[in-house]
Amino acid sequence: MAVLYRIHDDTSDLASFLELCRVHWRGVVVASADEADNTCRIDCGTERLRDICQWLTDDLGFAFATLVAEQAPKNWLLIYAFYKDAKSPLVRVELKLDAALSVAPSVVDLLHGPSFDWHEREVEDLFGLHFEGHPRLGEFVLHEDWLEGINPMRRDFDANKRFEPRTTEPKWEPPTIVTAPGAFAMPIGPVFSDFAESAHFLLETVGEDVVRTIPRFFYKYRGVEKIAEGQPPDRALLLAERFSGTAAFAHGLAFCQAIEAICGIKPPPRALALRAVLAELERLRSHAAAITGICNSTALAVATSQAALIEERLLRLTCEITGHRYLFGAVVPGGVICNPSQTDCRHLTAAVGEITHELRRLLQMLRYSSSFLDRLEEVGVVTEDQALSYGLVGPIARASGVARDIRKVLPYAVYGSTDFSVPVEREGDGYARLRVLFAEAAQSAGIINKVLSSLPDGAICSDELQLRAGAALSAVEAPLGAAFHWVRLDNGGNVSRYRVTPPSFTNWHGFHLAAENFAFQDFPIILASFGLSNAECDR
Amino acid sequence: MANWVLKGLRTGIRTTSYPAGPDDAPGISPGRPIGTSLSSTTAVDQLVRNCPTQAIAPDGSGIAIDQRRCIHCFRCQRGVDEPPIWQQGFEWAAYVDDQAPRKLAAIFGRSLHIRFVDAGACGACMSEARQINNPYYNMHRLGFFITPTPRNADVLLVAGPVSDAMRLPLSKTYEALPTPKRVVAIGACAASGGVFGPSFAASAGIADVIPVDVVVPGCPPPPLAILHGLLLVVERKPPSNVFSRASGGSKESP
């Protein structure tokens, strides 16, 4: 049956998807279309949620984007968002629960269940909402020493009240599976390596070979979504930019796009073009940093230095154009702040051209360094099936054959009218990820040149922003992959709910797939080839 | 392998002349606002109101800036009537306690071993801290080395507002350092909590958890500012001042 559906199912535009949905679920759910957002909304009850999630992911090939939980006075609202390709609409499955009834069905046992897994655990931990059937609920964002029964995302929790310093030490003892004689779990972190973000890994090992890795994150949970509540958008924007400083522009942009969608304003053409230029400049820098990290993890000193020179050069270039090395303060609702002159644009084009050339030469040399390739090839493999079932995003998914890119799927800024390709590799190992990084960096440089060569004149920011109540989901392709920002503004124009789904949150979940059955010394390489950010994941 | 050696040789030396000489290459620092005399109280009010982190306070006929709170949001620069002076440069680090700067110079001469701790930083501070190892800045030439274990370290370099879950790891790391030891807090979050703290999930900076000796303001502080902070620990450079006053202008007294 499933195969038959696939042949006849037409999801190629909003109208046909809506028709399909009405025919398939006649009398069961209510589907409605929002033309402006190219979104199809499906209202369903708890008894149909699993069927609908399964239909969307297994039968129609949609990918799960994010789960947003909202607490209203009388009920809970759960929003499951899905996306597919450039033609299909965004799908929002909405589920209302009675306030007294804090239980929803879990969907983690579906074929694409793993992509929902962390979302359900997070909602359970932060809202105290139970997901029936989920096997691993409990300590997730908040560790063991957090007071039981206190859920910080609930409306009645005071975000400004400081926590009591705890006297008891957290004890983390996850179940281990290796029972061979001499087996033990080797702890790494949260403070480890030369420069590493705080995270904790238990490596189950019998000596030289590591069988399984059990990671634990959220050491850096700063409650960004909670402290954004009640703030005006210009203050919340500071949080959006600063929760992950190495992808500040991408997340700032996603937040601003959501505000623009709520308030119905459209940035002027020059602003849209500049947004693409700055976003690609950030991607180029971020990819250069990831390449530096991979070279460093294999202890190839000259290559590390060469890549670090490129990275620092991009940081300086960014500072010259925007005034800040990490693009803080460059984007605002309605447009952008910085307006590069013609001289700036020429300088940028020339510098990006030189950097592309240097990157190409670096890749050429790396490709002929057998000792380097030995460390990367067939290390940290993620298969295409795994990437799909975990809903992985960004360069990691694209190195495993999943060619999804938000710039193509849900085009924003000027990506819809700019010609570029999405590089894909099949092997899913460390070397495939490195090749994707290099290929994407080259594409980014190409986009910068194309957009700058036909940069429209005019204003860089639309007129006075009129805030109004509403909610919107915005998506961008951050350097590390798809990022989804859900923003709801109240009647006073303040943020009443902010939900960020960063690519690192999605991809860290899949890290354990790559960190299985490897030699101990490969751990830093697997870590570097993922190149994820804990600040972004933990928020 | 020979290719790599040739590549390295062909690249030549890119390293900055700082601290022996100045460095004013474009893009090495975002710069920062400093205390400025302004023409009217309306202009002062506007700047104080625009600052999201209360870094700007009225001072005589102008404004003073608490650099520990400044997050480089440019909201005192863009779209205001009278912006404060924007100062280039990067020598931003200061001793926390002016009365008794506890220096390591006499004990360790000129070399330091450093352990970095991420106490909930956004990633930009960490990225800049990582850059001091790159060929442009090359901290090894100054006798500074990163060590993987706190037991071999003289200095703890800490970024982030200290998230709840990092309080314990941070204080444990601090205790593991042999005495004498010094703590360098880098970035607005580490100095004041930044945009995150104090809240239910984060402290108002490193000093809430462990004693701090040197603070490097900035969001994030550029690599040369972090080097300046480390040079303060061994007394190889004079300090800046975290309060920048209108009357004092750019010349801050030690």
Side-chain angles (χ1 to χ4, degrees):
Chain A
M1 275 307 277
V3 176
L4 275 180
Y5 279 137
R6 241 171 250 165
I7 294 165
H8 297 292
D9 289 345
D10 179 10
T11 64
S12 64
D13 63 47
L14 184 56
S16 45
F17 178 81
L18 194 66
E19 185 56 31
L20 178 73
C21 194
R22 283 182 177 152
V23 170
H24 195 91
W25 298 99
R26 189 184 299 276
V28 178
V29 298
V30 184
S32 56
D34 185 346
E35 301 280 346
D37 289 351
N38 190 32
T39 300
C40 178
R41 219 181 93 178
I42 303 176
D43 289 293
C44 81
T46 47
E47 64 286 350
R48 285 291 177 187
L49 178 73
R50 290 171 53 82
D51 299 340
I52 296 207
C53 288
Q54 188 165 24
W55 178 64
L56 286 168
T57 53
D58 293 2
D59 297 349
L60 301 184
F62 274 82
F64 174 63
T66 181
L67 166 60
V68 184
E70 288 197 351
Q71 188 185 15
K74 289 202 178 118
N75 52 39
W76 293 99
L77 178 62
L78 291 180
I79 301 166
Y80 296 73
F82 299 84
Y83 66 109
K84 187 180 172 188
D85 53 31
K87 291 175 191 149
S88 308
L90 198 73
V91 179
R92 254 162 53 188
V93 178
E94 304 200 359
L95 173 69
K96 274 203 174 80
L97 292 174
D98 194 48
L101 189 81
S102 300
V103 181
S106 170
V107 290
V108 289
D109 57 331
L110 301 179
L111 185 59
H112 292 80
S115 55
F116 300 85
D117 181 6
W118 274 21
H119 290 264
E120 291 187 0
R121 291 180 69 182
E122 184 177 313
V123 170
E124 195 267 348
D125 214 9
L126 299 182
F127 284 91
L129 206 60
H130 189 74
F131 287 88
E132 201 164 20
H134 195 298
R136 285 178 298 279
L137 294 177
E139 276 108 30
F140 182 58
V141 177
L142 310 167
H143 296 169
E144 306 81 30
D145 50 337
W146 183 268
L147 292 171
E148 206 52 47
I150 295 190
N151 307 107
M153 287 305 290
R154 290 217 178 201
R155 290 270 177 237
D156 54 6
F157 182 87
D158 180 5
N160 295 319
K161 193 162 173 266
R162 311 244 334 237
F163 47 79
E164 297 290 318
R166 258 62 59 72
T167 46
T168 54
E169 268 193 41
K171 257 203 163 40
W172 182 49
E173 285 166 344
T176 51
I177 54 164
V178 183
T179 52
F184 66 102
M186 160 100 179
I188 295 183
V191 178
F192 70 106
S193 182
D194 284 358
F195 290 101
E197 286 193 84
S198 298
H200 196 111
F201 301 91
L202 277 188
L203 308 188
E204 277 197 68
T205 176
V206 282
E208 193 63 21
D209 291 331
V210 178
V211 181
R212 192 171 81 118
T213 304
I214 315 170
R216 155 134 108 166
F217 303 106
F218 301 100
Y219 282 88
K220 301 174 67 169
Y221 174 65
R222 287 146 291 160
V224 166
E225 294 173 358
K226 181 67 182 182
I227 54 181
E229 286 179 3
Q231 298 207 35
D234 66 322
R235 295 291 166 93
L237 174 60
L238 295 173
L239 290 169
E241 283 180 332
R242 280 168 178 78
F243 81 88
S244 174
T246 47
F249 188 82
H251 291 294
L253 175 58
F255 178 80
C256 290
Q257 285 185 173
I259 300 291
E260 285 155 12
I262 295 169
C263 303
I265 54 169
K266 203 169 160 36
R270 187 176 172 85
L272 292 175
L274 284 172
R275 281 179 173 185
V277 170
L278 298 179
E280 293 313 312
L281 194 57
E282 181 173 70
R283 193 183 321 280
L284 199 51
R285 206 254 355 269
S286 177
H287 282 13
I291 291 165
T292 312
I294 293 175
C295 293
N296 189 37
S297 73
T298 61
L300 194 60
V302 182
T304 309
S305 294
Q306 294 294 330
L309 285 171
I310 295 173
E311 186 191 350
E312 172 67 19
R313 203 170 157 198
L314 280 160
L315 283 166
R316 292 184 180 189
L317 181 64
T318 311
C319 189
E320 286 176 64
I321 305 293
T322 68
H324 196 278
R325 285 160 63 94
Y326 293 85
L327 291 140
F328 286 5
V331 64
V332 286
V336 289
I337 283 286
C338 58
N339 195 4
S341 64
Q342 283 205 337
T343 326
D344 286 339
C345 293
R346 272 198 298 274
H347 175 50
L348 188 56
T349 312
V352 166
E354 285 171 29
I355 287 164
T356 320
H357 181 65
E358 283 173 30
L359 279 171
R360 205 182 304 131
R361 292 238 310 251
L362 181 62
L363 175 62
Q364 206 58 28
M365 291 184 70
L366 287 173
R367 282 176 57 190
Y368 291 100
S369 300
S370 54
S371 67
F372 174 73
L373 297 187
D374 284 347
R375 305 293 305 271
L376 283 177
E377 280 178 315
E378 292 168 36
V379 165
V381 177
V382 178
T383 65
E384 184 176 350
D385 283 347
Q386 288 173 330
L388 282 173
S389 126
Y390 275 66
L392 299 189
V393 293
I396 294 173
R398 294 193 279 271
S400 297
V402 182
R404 275 201 185 109
D405 187 318
I406 295 296
R407 293 173 293 175
K408 293 280 189 195
V409 176
L410 306 162
Y412 54 97
V414 291
Y415 291 118
S417 55
T418 308
D419 182 34
F420 68 99
S421 68
V422 178
V424 182
E425 299 286 347
R426 301 263 156 219
E427 294 87 343
D429 60 357
Y431 186 39
R433 290 194 279 275
L434 181 78
R435 294 202 305 278
V436 165
L437 289 175
F438 272 105
E440 288 192 8
Q443 289 296 324
S444 291
I447 295 174
I448 293 175
N449 282 340
K450 277 184 200 123
V451 176
L452 281 180
S453 68
S454 56
L455 192 63
D457 287 325
I460 54 163
C461 196
S462 79
D463 294 340
E464 198 67 30
L465 179 70
Q466 288 292 325
L467 292 176
R468 59 180 185 219
L473 180 70
S474 113
V476 299
E477 184 72 19
L480 299 175
F484 299 92
H485 288 230
W486 169 267
V487 181
R488 185 182 289 280
L489 296 183
D490 62 18
N491 290 325
N494 292 330
V495 174
S496 69
R497 175 79 172 107
Y498 182 31
R499 161 80 170 130
V500 191
T501 307
S504 294
F505 178 80
T506 314
N507 283 348
W508 266 130
H509 185 211
F511 177 71
H512 76 95
L513 299 168
E516 267 181 15
N517 297 319
F518 61 92
F520 206 85
Q521 65 272 21
D522 286 342
F523 186 68
I525 297 172
I526 301 175
L527 212 53
S529 76
F530 262 62
L532 298 174
S533 157
N534 290 109
E536 194 179 67
C537 170
D538 299 358
R539 289 155 283 150
Chain B
M1 279 301 119
N3 284 342
W4 287 112
V5 177
L6 283 174
K7 174 88 178 164
L9 288 172
R10 259 201 303 272
T11 306
I13 294 170
R14 300 281 179 89
T15 310
T16 176
S17 57
Y18 184 81
D23 191 342
D24 54 4
I28 51 167
S29 163
R32 62 176 185 177
I34 54 166
T36 309
S37 295
L38 299 173
S39 63
S40 70
T41 49
T42 354
V44 171
D45 286 348
Q46 189 186 36
L47 294 182
V48 172
R49 206 173 46 244
N50 269 18
C51 181
T53 54
Q54 291 86 46
I56 300 181
D59 179 33
S61 62
I63 54 155
I65 294 177
D66 180 353
Q67 299 292 359
R68 291 171 302 183
R69 308 199 73 89
C70 176
I71 55 164
H72 298 194
C73 63
F74 301 100
R75 289 181 187 179
C76 59
Q77 286 294 305
R78 295 164 176 168
V80 295
D81 302 331
E82 206 181 334
I85 299 168
W86 196 266
Q87 186 192 44
Q88 291 307 316
F90 49 81
E91 289 193 316
W92 297 349
Y95 295 115
V96 168
D97 185 355
D98 281 340
Q99 306 305 314
R102 303 179 299 145
K103 296 145 194 159
L104 281 181
I107 311 157
F108 286 99
R110 303 168 73 84
S111 176
L112 288 177
H113 279 70
I114 301 153
R115 171 67 242 181
F116 176 80
V117 178
D118 161 23
C122 73
C125 278
M126 205 187 83
S127 172
E128 294 293 55
R130 216 162 33 77
Q131 303 306 326
I132 62 176
N133 227 343
N134 83 28
Y136 278 112
Y137 305 111
N138 185 13
M139 62 173 170
H140 293 176
R141 78 201 149 94
L142 302 170
F144 300 155
F145 301 93
I146 296 290
T147 158
T149 162
R151 302 220 183 267
N152 293 344
D154 310 313
V155 170
L156 210 54
L157 191 64
V158 196
V162 193
S163 54
D164 188 13
M166 280 311 290
R167 289 174 67 99
L168 194 65
L170 176 61
S171 41
K172 278 189 166 183
T173 311
Y174 178 74
E175 282 158 22
L177 253 71
T179 48
K181 52 191 164 190
R182 298 293 177 262
V183 175
V184 178
I186 56 169
C189 291
S192 67
V195 291
F196 302 110
S199 81
F200 75 102
S203 303
I206 309 296
D208 268 15
V209 182
I210 56 172
V212 174
D213 300 280
V214 170
V215 59
V216 188
C219 187
L224 287 173
I226 299 173
L227 278 187
H228 180 237
L230 294 171
L231 289 166
L232 282 199
V233 176
V234 283
E235 280 193 289
R236 283 160 70 178
K237 275 280 169 185
S240 171
N241 201 323
V242 288
F243 286 104
S244 145
R245 300 182 57 118
S247 49
S250 62
K251 292 276 173 261
E252 286 135 346
S253 56

